[in-house]
């Protein structure tokens, strides 16, 4: 985020493969993400976009390939055979935050408690420290008046903004967004995208799986188009969205931009 | 008709024996509360062991499942007899364990507590499991993605939600447990059934047992109403306010 670190690759993937039984969801993905970069991943459903994100924070460890986070390998690749221990879970999850399509807020906790819980349990912050950080983040996403509300009392857009604050509270180096507006009513999409846009402007490294082409065009430094478990095409939004080279990209964009 | 009322509902007779029966019922209450509490805790431990992740803990999961299956399948009465007859004969155990008389209660009381806890722990473990499995998987993922380990996620995220959902069925099991404490009468614990049936065989009048039944109802009926209330409350959580995505 600081100027000195800009340009350095914070995340790099080589030949990442993931299978669910016979189904090959990722078939050798290579990708580099620089610090401070905003990468939007587009592609039809089933193309492996979400799985890619879930591989990145090891919710679904890849079977093959290698992922480097801050120059450190976070998976030992195929055949290391030592099970869960070979995945650098703590290292990854303290640096990579994720926001889910379904929010996944903790329903038995207030908005503020959702944001403070992991700060206290994982980072060992004091209650007051966690609360002040949490309140500050909730204020930043426009929810200063909702601190003590339970999730079921919040709209989808508000819940999703709490989820963003919750992930940010862990001071991540990279933020992953997994179709975070897909479960929202149309009128609530903008407030979430605005929060993400602000985050991008502040220099957060972001990988955003989305169907919001407008958002990708406007905010992304780079757009990646995926299909059938592979990256088909990538480049600046003006190139990939407005002048795609690959047939599959053209076809997909034709379908989503038509309406 | 008069004969019938005299046999089962002789009020004068009930008044005469009220103190004895109440003493017996007090034992029943103590037995219920102690075994009920232990079974609640033991069941939660079993359910948690059953959910432990990873290959290394496979034997733990297997043993837990075996335990739960076995003790749900064995009649409590049988277990009470096995324990009460068997444990005192185990010479390698210290006497305070073979013939426990802790807190001024006879050994039959503690054998009852042990048997009921073993059996109802298994039942309650299944209830907890249903609760744990009803929590959407996204909750565990969210907790893990924030850096919590499995134990932290279970403690802070999964179990609080799971337990809330199963309070009503747990209470149902507790009602059943309360009634099943009467089985401990077979090893001569002076609880309400044994007291009542001793009086019955001395006097050929069943009103003391009827009185015991009434005392049970005084406890179990409010509990049953409470269960209904809790279920209604839990259901209304899902039908009011904004749609909850996980519930769809």
């Amino acid at each position: 985020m600081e100027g000195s670190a800009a340009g350095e690759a914070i995340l790099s993937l080589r030949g990442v493969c993931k299978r669910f039984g016979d189904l090959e969801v990722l078939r050798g993905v290579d990708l580099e993400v620089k610090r401070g970069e905003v990468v939007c991943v587009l592609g039809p459903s089933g193309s492996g976009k979400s799985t890619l994100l879930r591989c990145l924070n090891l919710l679904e460890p890849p079977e093959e390939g290698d992922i480097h986070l801050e120059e450190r390998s976070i998976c030992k690749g195929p055949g290391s055979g030592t099970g869960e221990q070979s995945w650098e879970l703590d290292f990854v999850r303290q640096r990579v935050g994720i926001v889910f399509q379904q929010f996944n807020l903790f329903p038995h906790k207030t908005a503020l408690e959702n944001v403070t819980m992991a700060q206290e349990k994982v980072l060992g912050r004091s209650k007051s420290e966690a609360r002040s950080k949490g309140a500050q983040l909730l204020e930043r996403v426009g929810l200063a008046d909702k601190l003590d509300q339970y999730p079921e009392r919040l709209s989808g857009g508000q819940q999703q903004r709490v989820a963003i604050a919750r992930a940010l509270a862990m001071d991540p180096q990279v933020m992953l967004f997994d179709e975070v507006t897909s479960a929202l009513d149309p009128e609530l999409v903008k407030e979430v995208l605005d929060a993400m846009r602000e985050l991008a402007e502040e220099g957060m490294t972001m990988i955003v799986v989305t169907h919001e082409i407008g958002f990708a065009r406007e905010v992304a430094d780079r757009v990646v188009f995926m299909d059938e478990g592979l990256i088909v095409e990538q480049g600046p939004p003006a190139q990939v969205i407005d002048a795609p080279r690959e047939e599959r990209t053209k076809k997909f964009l034709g379908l989503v931009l038509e309406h | 008709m008069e004969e019938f009322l005299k046999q089962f509902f002789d009020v004068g007779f009930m008044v005469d024996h009220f103190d004895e029966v109440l003493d017996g019922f007090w034992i029943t209450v103590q037995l219920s509360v102690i075994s009920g509490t232990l079974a609640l805790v033991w069941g939660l431990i079993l359910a948690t062991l059953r959910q432990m992740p990873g290959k290394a803990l496979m034997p733990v999961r297997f043993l837990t499942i075996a335990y739960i299956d076995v003790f749900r399948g064995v009649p409590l009465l049988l277990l009470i007899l096995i324990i009460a007859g068997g444990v005192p004969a185990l010479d390698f155990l210290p006497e305070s364990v073979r013939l426990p008389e802790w807190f001024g209660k006879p050994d039959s009381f503690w054998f009852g507590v042990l048997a009921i806890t073993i059996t109802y722990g298994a039942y309650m473990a299944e209830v907890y499991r249903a609760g744990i499995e009803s929590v959407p998987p996204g909750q565990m993922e969210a907790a893990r993605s924030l850096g919590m380990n499995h134990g932290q996620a279970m403690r802070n995220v999964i179990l609080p939600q799971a337990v809330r959902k199963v309070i009503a069925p747990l209470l149902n099991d507790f009602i059943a447990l309360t009634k099943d404490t009467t089985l401990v009468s077979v090893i001569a614990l002076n609880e309400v059934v044994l007291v009542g049936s001793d009086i019955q065989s001395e006097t050929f009048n069943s009103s003391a047992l009827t009185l015991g039944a009434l005392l049970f109802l005084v406890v179990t009926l409010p509990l049953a109403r409470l269960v209904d209330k809790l279920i209604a409350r839990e259901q209304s959580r899902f039908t009011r306010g904004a749609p909850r995505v996980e519930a769809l």
Side-chain angles (χ1 to χ4, degrees):
Chain A
M1 289 194 247
E2 287 76 28
S4 61
E8 153 209 351
I10 186 167
L11 200 56
S12 87
L13 290 72
R14 283 206 206 308
V16 169
C17 292
K18 179 72 193 174
R19 261 176 241 104
F20 294 109
D22 288 340
L23 186 67
E24 280 190 276
V25 185
L26 296 178
R27 301 186 298 145
V29 172
D30 300 321
L31 184 66
E32 286 224 340
V33 180
K34 294 192 180 69
R35 207 177 272 276
E37 198 177 16
V38 177
V39 176
C40 282
V41 184
L42 308 180
S45 57
S47 58
K49 316 180 294 284
S50 291
T51 306
L52 180 69
L53 290 194
R54 296 164 67 83
C55 278
L56 281 175
N57 77 344
L58 302 182
L59 277 176
E60 309 274 7
E63 272 115 18
E64 272 175 57
D66 204 358
I67 301 176
H68 280 77
L69 175 62
E70 293 181 339
E71 316 269 298
R72 175 161 163 187
S73 172
I74 58 169
C75 43
K76 307 250 165 34
S80 63
T82 43
E84 286 218 335
Q85 276 64 40
S86 67
W87 310 102
E88 304 268 358
L89 284 183
D90 291 343
F91 178 79
V92 172
R93 292 192 180 145
Q94 282 170 21
R95 283 166 182 76
V96 180
I98 185 165
V99 183
F100 302 93
Q101 183 177 353
Q102 307 291 356
F103 329 141
N104 295 340
L105 291 186
F106 306 134
H108 60 302
K109 296 285 176 186
T110 64
L112 183 58
E113 287 165 346
N114 262 276
V115 182
T116 56
M117 184 199 285
Q119 292 188 64
E120 290 171 36
K121 309 288 175 194
V122 178
L123 302 179
R125 287 183 185 149
S126 71
K127 209 175 171 87
S128 64
E129 194 186 356
R131 284 182 74 88
S132 85
K133 172 118 188 164
Q136 183 197 327
L137 283 166
L138 284 170
E139 196 175 330
R140 189 166 136 193
V141 294
L143 296 172
D145 55 338
K146 304 288 182 193
L147 300 190
D148 297 319
Q149 293 283 343
Y150 284 89
E152 66 180 352
R153 294 279 178 195
L154 300 174
S155 74
Q158 290 168 337
Q159 290 192 46
Q160 196 58 297
R161 284 183 282 151
V162 174
I164 292 173
R166 179 175 69 175
L168 289 175
M170 310 305 286
D171 295 326
Q173 305 294 305
V174 181
M175 282 282 283
L176 311 176
F177 294 86
D178 188 4
E179 298 198 30
V180 293
T181 57
S182 300
L184 295 178
D185 291 335
E187 76 271 21
L188 303 177
V189 168
K190 185 175 178 294
E191 64 191 53
V192 173
L193 292 182
D194 284 346
M196 290 164 66
R197 185 176 293 121
E198 247 174 65
L199 198 55
E201 281 161 8
E202 286 162 23
M204 174 63 75
T205 311
M206 293 164 57
I207 304 178
V208 184
V209 168
T210 184
H211 292 298
E212 301 288 337
I213 307 290
F215 177 85
R217 196 198 314 258
E218 192 193 331
V219 179
D221 298 308
R222 182 153 45 110
V223 172
V224 169
F225 178 74
M226 282 184 74
D227 195 18
E228 295 180 348
L230 287 170
I231 291 178
V232 176
E233 175 165 10
Q234 56 176 308
Q239 178 196 315
V240 177
I241 296 175
D242 298 322
R245 277 182 305 233
E246 299 290 329
E247 266 322 299
R248 280 185 288 179
T249 319
K250 283 180 199 165
K251 197 172 152 219
F252 172 77
L253 288 169
L255 286 173
V256 292
L257 290 175
E258 232 165 50
H259 56 254
Chain B
M1 188 61 189
E2 202 176 309
E3 188 87 339
F4 177 85
L5 287 178
K6 198 171 164 40
Q7 177 59 236
F8 297 109
F9 296 98
D10 187 333
V11 176
F13 187 89
M14 287 184 186
V15 171
D16 288 344
H17 292 90
F18 188 76
D19 286 353
E20 280 171 79
V21 175
L22 193 65
D23 282 349
F25 192 68
W26 177 233
I27 301 279
T28 298
V29 168
Q30 290 173 307
L31 187 58
S32 301
V33 170
I34 293 175
S35 345
T37 308
L38 291 175
L40 275 171
V41 174
W42 180 223
L44 183 58
I45 293 172
L46 289 169
T48 310
L49 290 175
R50 192 180 176 148
Q51 301 288 331
M52 298 271 245
K55 246 190 193 136
L57 293 170
M58 202 131 87
V60 175
R61 289 195 296 272
F62 177 81
L63 285 175
T64 311
I65 292 169
Y67 171 97
I68 291 170
D69 285 354
V70 166
F71 287 107
R72 281 192 308 157
V74 172
L76 177 57
L77 178 57
L78 212 119
L79 193 62
I80 291 170
L81 291 170
I82 288 176
I83 289 175
V87 172
L90 298 175
D91 285 333
F92 59 85
L93 292 173
E95 181 156 330
S96 65
V97 175
R98 274 191 295 130
L99 298 165
E101 290 182 355
W102 310 327
F103 304 105
K105 295 267 174 288
D107 55 356
S108 54
F109 182 89
W110 296 111
F111 291 144
V113 166
L114 181 61
I116 295 169
T117 303
I118 288 174
T119 301
Y120 273 87
Y123 281 119
M124 289 182 177
E126 285 298 279
V127 175
Y128 284 117
R129 174 165 78 120
I132 290 169
E133 288 176 355
S134 77
V135 177
Q139 291 289 310
M140 178 58 96
E141 288 184 354
R144 296 302 304 265
S145 77
L146 290 166
M148 289 185 226
N149 59 36
H150 180 85
Q152 289 173 320
M154 281 301 267
R155 228 177 8 260
N156 298 302
V157 176
I158 307 298
L159 289 178
Q161 296 182 56
V163 169
R164 210 160 300 196
K165 288 183 191 188
V166 295
I167 286 178
L170 285 175
L171 210 50
N172 263 334
D173 271 5
F174 179 74
I175 294 171
L177 176 150
T178 303
K179 294 185 293 173
D180 272 356
T181 57
T182 54
L183 292 170
V184 188
S185 61
V186 298
I187 54 171
L189 179 69
N190 259 326
E191 47 68 72
V192 66
V193 166
L194 190 57
V195 170
S197 101
D198 281 351
I199 294 172
Q200 185 191 39
S201 48
E202 278 165 30
T203 62
F204 304 107
N205 189 315
S206 304
S207 298
L209 280 170
T210 316
L211 178 59
L214 293 174
L215 288 175
F216 262 105
L217 290 174
V218 167
V219 173
T220 54
L221 285 183
L223 283 175
R225 290 284 76 75
L226 180 60
V227 170
D228 286 354
K229 226 178 212 156
L230 289 170
I231 290 173
R233 199 186 67 179
E234 185 61 32
Q235 274 166 352
S236 75
R237 277 173 65 86
F238 288 95
T239 48
R240 70 151 193 262
R244 291 160 55 100
V245 173
E246 315 107 276
L248 295 179

